[in-house]
């Protein structure tokens, strides 16, 4: 397990209490799990993701990640429609571990309300939350 000081926590993403992140790319929002979450889960061996066109409400599960330790639900950071899924995870789910903010993204969504992203934690708030867990 990584120490908090070793975690990669980009400033250009917003975080949820469940350790998902959302990165706005010109109205399309990339969603994945944080470095902390992938570190806690261990080696990811399978990703179950929704279909393009599916819609989910904020806080609702949209899929699961299976690691050597457990199966964990992943939750929508904001309400919206799935516009793309990371097809590479079907063959290489370990991308979630090696590059959670890049090649290991999970889904892209069109948020129902882009302003909802501002309700999520910024890097500093997420870091404070993590410190409270240890």
């Amino acid at each position: 397990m990584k120490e908090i000081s070793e975690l990669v926590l980009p400033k250009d993403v917003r975080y949820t209490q469940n350790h998902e992140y959302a990165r706005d790319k010109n109205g399309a929002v990339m969603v994945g799990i944080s470095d902390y979450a992938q570190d806690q889960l261990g080696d990811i061996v399978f990703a179950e993701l929704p279909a393009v066109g599916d819609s989910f409400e904020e806080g609702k599960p949209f899929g699961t990640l299976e690691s050597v330790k457990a199966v964990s639900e992943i939750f929508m950071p904001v309400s919206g429609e799935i516009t793309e899924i990371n097809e590479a995870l079907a063959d290489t789910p370990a991308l979630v571990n090696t590059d959670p903010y890049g090649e290991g993204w999970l889904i892209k969504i069109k948020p129902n309300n882009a302003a909802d992203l501002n309700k999520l934690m910024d890097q500093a708030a997420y870091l404070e939350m993590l410190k409270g867990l240890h």
Side-chain angles (χ1 to χ4, degrees):
M1 298 284 178
K2 293 181 179 181
E3 296 294 324
I4 289 180
S5 61
E6 298 174 295
L7 294 172
V8 175
L9 300 173
K11 290 185 177 187
D12 68 332
V13 302
R14 307 293 281 195
Y15 300 90
T16 71
Q17 290 188 335
N18 291 317
H19 311 288
E20 290 84 18
Y21 72 79
R23 174 182 277 147
D24 187 6
K25 295 241 183 202
N26 302 319
V29 177
M30 180 187 297
V31 176
I33 64 169
S34 71
D35 190 30
Y36 174 83
Q38 73 77 22
D39 186 56
Q40 294 293 307
L41 286 173
D43 294 336
I44 305 294
V45 295
F46 183 74
E48 180 181 277
L49 299 174
V52 171
D54 287 353
S55 292
F56 296 89
E57 294 298 313
E58 175 185 337
K60 298 295 182 193
F62 68 84
T64 58
L65 291 175
E66 185 176 337
S67 72
V68 293
K69 293 181 182 178
V71 176
S72 300
E73 287 187 316
I74 35 181
F75 301 92
M76 286 290 278
V78 296
S79 298
E81 179 182 336
I82 310 299
T83 58
E84 190 177 342
I85 62 167
N86 188 348
E87 301 282 356
L89 298 181
D91 294 326
T92 318
L95 289 171
V96 174
N97 297 112
T98 58
D99 191 11
Y101 303 103
E103 296 297 316
W105 62 275
L106 302 173
I107 60 172
K108 292 183 182 173
I109 63 172
K110 178 182 172 200
N112 294 347
N113 182 354
D116 288 345
L117 289 170
N118 297 327
K119 297 177 187 173
L120 301 176
M121 288 179 275
D122 63 12
Q123 180 208 40
Y126 183 64
L127 187 57
E128 284 304 308
M129 185 191 87
L130 293 178
K131 287 178 181 174
L133 297 176
H134 290 272

